[in-house]
Amino acid sequence: MGGDLGPKAVVEGIGYALKRWPERQTRYLLHGDEAALGPLLLKHPKVAAVCELRHSDTLVQMTDKPAEAVRRARGSSMWNAIQSVKSGEAHAVVSSGNTGALMAISKVILRMKKGIHRPAISANWPTPKGHTVVLDVGANVQCGATQLVEFAIMGEAYHRAVFGGEHPSVGLLNVGQEELKGNDIVREADGLIRNSGLDMAYKGFIEGNDISAGIIDVVVTDGFTGNIALKTAEGTARLVAGWVREALTSSFFAKLAAGLLALGALDRLKRRMDPRYINGGVLLGLKGIVVKSHGGADGEGFASALGLAQVMAKSDFMSQIRKNLDKFASFEEQDIAAAS
Amino acid sequence: MGGDLGPKAVVEGIGYALKRWPERQTRYLLHGDEAALGPLLLKHPKVAAVCELRHSDTLVQMTDKPAEAVRRARGSSMWNAIQSVKSGEAHAVVSSGNTGALMAISKVILRMKKGIHRPAISANWPTPKGHTVVLDVGANVQCGATQLVEFAIMGEAYHRAVFGGEHPSVGLLNVGQEELKGNDIVREADGLIRNSGLDMAYKGFIEGNDISAGIIDVVVTDGFTGNIALKTAEGTARLVAGWVREALTSSFFAKLAAGLLALGALDRLKRRMDPRYINGGVLLGLKGIVVKSHGGADGEGFASALGLAQVMAKSDFMSQIRKNLDKFASFEEQDIAAAS
């Protein structure tokens, strides 16, 4: 029911997902207002054929504060959708709704995995070679060093689960100048990752320009910096796209050129620059798969989030994450024992 | 003597600056090794005609730590160049050298303006409408709320001085989700700016994607986030430029299109995406104008930093900044008096 376009984006998104991945036999539980969803399904019979509608009387508003949402959410479409993962009816939940509420209700219903303090939101960041996983992109605006280590563990397992790499490389986002080796928390996290015996290809500090370069598989940062980096990149891509568009419409010759380009290359360029194709952040660290679709996503965008949820559900992320979490837990126990 | 290309970029940079702004009657004191600079000036007689060479025996290495650099720097080219601003011989200093050392030595020789704790580095960020000033982009990795207010005051005055706007708008960089109103420091700074009676068009919180959008004139953030945002934007622009290049060389038709575009629009696009044309960060808050050119800048890039130093030297930035600094100082005094 959430997001700027509401149920329309969801139903159309399922339609696009069916077209994009016809081989995946995904079925959907649609939680929401029957009066809104029913007519949409009538218009999209192919979507209706793979959906089961579950009516809910209430919904979480985009403006609800997380704590309020948790108190009032029982029986809402968001609550019921997450509950269907808890009960085992669904393998994953995808929502365009209120991010803070989604996180808070997921924590209440699904609970955190042992050894993880709070969920982190991941983003799949395009590079010339594929994708870099960046986390946290907005769940935790104030992080301690231990949380950054948890993000590294989750991000590494997530990269293996979604992109299938064997030993994804992990970097900690920091500032570049030699004289400024970053703030205390980043330095402490660097020491923790190096010393806690994790099974991880840890590469140390990386800089902002490395994210898009494709030289690192997983970028770890706090939710404040990560959110700003992600949105700054979106803004920059939009700026450059505007310049390209201007260049392609600036004169008769330019328009002719654009016409020639449209025969193929420009379409590919447009698609690459289209954030809808990389939509979907996973709330990592929960005992269940929760995917957040961008609130502004349309059907194309929502389909990308559905595709990501499908890949996560098929993967062994949940078990992959365990080994390093256990290693870190025993390192921390030794550390506490040594200190006392 | 600093930067990846050393004195060559500096001497060629003066040459480019002479061509770009033939009407500016700038003269240059070149501080450095005579044996390196002398032959370069012989090759560039037009540059030599506006330069005076000042030999120095030593130089600050790119790898020197700031504290070391300050102890050992007396008599180095960097020290002497800053000293020539202090003595009034020069209106501004431009350096491609070690940023940390430049900042530390500038603080020792020029000293901070009253009411400013540490220098901030500004960046002129391109937008569809012109430029947004972003600071701090790397001088202070850990900032308190008071420092962010100082950045706002300096950035606002800087925008008026360099871009000539009357009431530049100022925003505080923060994360977007409703449920996460940013960390404690950003929230505290927001309150301070709102309550301290500054003469400033303060717009509150803005998000990462707003930086490139041209909807705000001055973006205030700590040096950790600012540095990462700037480098992330550079990386993103490079990624998109690669996609555009690929689109323009992907087929016969694409190459033909690129040939047509090269008749004009593509050149403009290339120039807009060329970071050399926006090179130069000012170290704000000192009693003197210090411009840092990017270490990797070539002659074209260095010329941009020179151009910025010229504009700053001509402007009344130093007096513009005073009014709001005094207002903030008296607000803080009242605040302390009220608390005791």
Side-chain angles (χ1 to χ4, degrees):
Chain A
M1 299 302 292
D4 301 347
L5 301 174
K8 187 168 178 287
V10 174
V11 171
E12 290 179 3
I14 295 172
Y16 284 112
L18 288 172
K19 270 183 226 158
R20 265 196 236 166
W21 305 286
E23 75 288 0
R24 296 184 189 170
Q25 312 263 322
T26 313
R27 294 186 56 83
Y28 300 89
L29 298 176
L30 279 185
H31 294 269
D33 181 7
E34 209 162 16
L37 287 163
L40 280 166
L41 288 178
L42 280 177
K43 266 201 263 179
H44 296 87
K46 280 185 188 162
V47 173
V50 295
C51 286
E52 188 179 314
L53 182 51
R54 298 281 174 93
H55 176 72
S56 43
D57 285 321
T58 61
L59 55 99
V60 172
Q61 301 292 340
M62 295 303 270
T63 49
D64 285 352
K65 296 228 188 302
E68 289 168 26
V70 168
R71 278 194 303 273
R72 300 192 312 200
R74 210 166 291 260
S76 68
S77 49
M78 189 185 277
W79 182 282
N80 291 349
I82 299 167
Q83 188 62 46
S84 66
V85 172
K86 173 73 180 177
S87 70
E89 263 200 302
H91 291 96
V93 55
V94 181
S95 169
S96 295
N98 183 326
T99 309
L102 184 67
M103 217 163 82
I105 299 171
S106 297
K107 276 177 71 179
V108 168
I109 297 180
L110 298 172
R111 309 224 161 254
M112 301 305 300
K113 280 186 88 73
K114 188 170 169 264
I116 307 278
H117 290 83
R118 275 171 57 88
I121 303 176
S122 66
N124 299 336
W125 195 296
T127 74
K129 292 168 194 167
H131 289 91
T132 293
V133 172
V134 182
L135 78 167
D136 173 26
V137 296
N140 307 276
V141 289
Q142 278 171 134
C143 295
T146 303
Q147 269 186 289
L148 293 177
V149 180
E150 293 170 11
F151 297 170
I153 293 170
M154 294 195 290
E156 199 259 359
Y158 173 83
H159 194 284
R160 277 185 283 134
V162 172
F163 299 109
E166 294 248 324
H167 284 287
S169 56
V170 178
L172 199 53
L173 192 58
N174 199 354
V175 294
Q177 282 96 329
E178 282 311 310
E179 75 277 9
L180 309 161
K181 289 195 193 101
N183 56 37
D184 299 340
I185 291 169
V186 167
R187 279 201 298 265
E188 191 189 335
D190 177 66
L192 282 175
I193 299 175
R194 288 184 191 282
N195 298 326
S196 53
L198 301 179
D199 180 13
M200 181 184 289
Y202 178 63
K203 304 296 184 193
F205 294 135
I206 61 138
E207 297 186 54
N209 51 312
D210 297 327
I211 307 175
S212 298
I215 59 170
I216 197 96
D217 295 317
V218 180
V219 173
V220 174
T221 187
D222 66 274
F224 186 83
T225 314
N227 185 275
I228 287 170
L230 182 70
K231 292 197 166 155
T232 300
E234 283 173 12
T236 306
R238 202 171 299 130
L239 175 73
V240 175
W243 289 342
V244 172
R245 201 161 32 243
E246 207 183 300
L248 292 175
T249 54
S250 60
S251 69
F252 169 74
F253 284 117
K255 282 178 194 156
L256 187 59
L260 287 169
L261 275 175
L263 293 169
L266 203 60
D267 281 349
R268 176 137 193 259
L269 178 64
K270 268 189 193 156
R271 181 176 278 236
R272 278 177 147 178
M273 292 184 62
D274 190 337
R276 295 181 303 174
Y277 284 87
I278 48 167
N279 182 40
V282 182
L283 269 58
L284 297 171
L286 296 156
K287 291 183 189 166
I289 296 163
V290 181
V291 174
K292 174 66 177 60
S293 171
H294 195 289
D298 61 4
E300 289 267 23
F302 199 81
S304 299
L306 291 175
L308 183 59
Q310 291 162 355
V311 170
M312 281 293 283
K314 273 276 191 190
S315 79
D316 54 353
F317 170 75
M318 288 293 174
S319 57
Q320 287 283 355
I321 197 179
R322 200 62 267 161
K323 195 169 68 176
N324 271 332
L325 275 184
D326 290 343
K327 283 190 184 187
F328 188 57
S330 69
F331 166 78
E332 278 196 307
E333 272 165 32
Q334 286 164 19
D335 217 36
I336 291 163
S340 62
Chain B
M1 300 301 293
D4 300 347
L5 301 175
K8 187 167 178 288
V10 174
V11 170
E12 290 180 2
I14 295 173
Y16 283 112
L18 288 172
K19 270 183 228 160
R20 266 197 235 168
W21 304 286
E23 74 288 359
R24 295 183 190 171
Q25 312 263 319
T26 313
R27 294 187 55 83
Y28 299 88
L29 297 176
L30 279 185
H31 294 271
D33 182 6
E34 211 162 16
L37 287 164
L40 280 166
L41 289 177
L42 281 177
K43 266 200 264 177
H44 296 87
K46 280 185 189 163
V47 173
V50 296
C51 286
E52 189 179 313
L53 181 52
R54 297 282 174 93
H55 175 72
S56 43
D57 284 322
T58 60
L59 55 98
V60 173
Q61 301 292 339
M62 296 302 271
T63 49
D64 285 351
K65 296 227 187 301
E68 288 169 26
V70 168
R71 277 195 303 273
R72 298 193 313 199
R74 210 167 289 260
S76 68
S77 49
M78 188 185 279
W79 182 283
N80 292 348
I82 299 168
Q83 188 61 47
S84 66
V85 172
K86 172 72 179 177
S87 71
E89 263 198 302
H91 292 95
V93 54
V94 181
S95 168
S96 295
N98 181 326
T99 309
L102 184 67
M103 217 164 83
I105 299 171
S106 296
K107 277 178 71 179
V108 168
I109 296 179
L110 299 172
R111 309 223 161 255
M112 301 306 299
K113 278 185 92 72
K114 190 169 165 263
I116 307 279
H117 290 86
R118 277 171 56 87
I121 303 176
S122 65
N124 299 335
W125 194 296
T127 75
K129 293 167 193 169
H131 289 91
T132 294
V133 172
V134 182
L135 77 168
D136 173 26
V137 295
N140 307 277
V141 288
Q142 277 170 134
C143 294
T146 304
Q147 269 187 291
L148 292 178
V149 181
E150 294 171 10
F151 297 171
I153 293 171
M154 294 196 289
E156 198 258 0
Y158 173 83
H159 194 282
R160 278 186 281 133
V162 171
F163 299 108
E166 294 247 325
H167 285 288
S169 57
V170 179
L172 200 52
L173 192 57
N174 199 354
V175 293
Q177 281 97 328
E178 283 310 310
E179 74 278 10
L180 308 161
K181 288 193 194 103
N183 57 37
D184 299 340
I185 291 170
V186 167
R187 279 200 299 263
E188 191 189 334
D190 178 66
L192 282 175
I193 299 175
R194 287 184 190 281
N195 299 326
S196 53
L198 301 179
D199 180 13
M200 183 184 288
Y202 178 63
K203 304 296 182 194
F205 294 135
I206 61 141
E207 297 186 53
N209 49 313
D210 297 327
I211 307 176
S212 298
I215 59 170
I216 197 95
D217 295 318
V218 180
V219 172
V220 174
T221 186
D222 67 272
F224 186 83
T225 313
N227 184 274
I228 286 170
L230 182 69
K231 292 196 167 156
T232 300
E234 283 174 11
T236 306
R238 202 172 299 130
L239 175 73
V240 176
W243 288 342
V244 173
R245 202 160 31 243
E246 206 184 301
L248 293 175
T249 54
S250 60
S251 71
F252 169 73
F253 284 116
K255 282 179 194 157
L256 186 59
L260 287 168
L261 275 176
L263 294 169
L266 203 61
D267 281 350
R268 178 136 190 261
L269 178 64
K270 267 188 194 157
R271 184 177 276 236
R272 279 177 145 177
M273 293 185 62
D274 189 338
R276 294 181 303 173
Y277 284 86
I278 48 166
N279 181 42
V282 182
L283 268 59
L284 297 170
L286 296 157
K287 291 183 187 164
I289 296 162
V290 181
V291 175
K292 174 63 177 60
S293 171
H294 195 289
D298 61 5
E300 288 268 20
F302 199 82
S304 299
L306 291 174
L308 182 60
Q310 291 162 357
V311 171
M312 281 293 284
K314 273 277 191 190
S315 80
D316 54 354
F317 171 76
M318 287 294 174
S319 58
Q320 287 282 356
I321 197 179
R322 197 65 266 160
K323 196 169 67 175
N324 270 333
L325 274 185
D326 289 345
K327 283 190 184 188
F328 188 57
S330 70
F331 166 78
E332 279 199 306
E333 272 166 30
Q334 287 164 19
D335 215 39
I336 291 163
S340 63

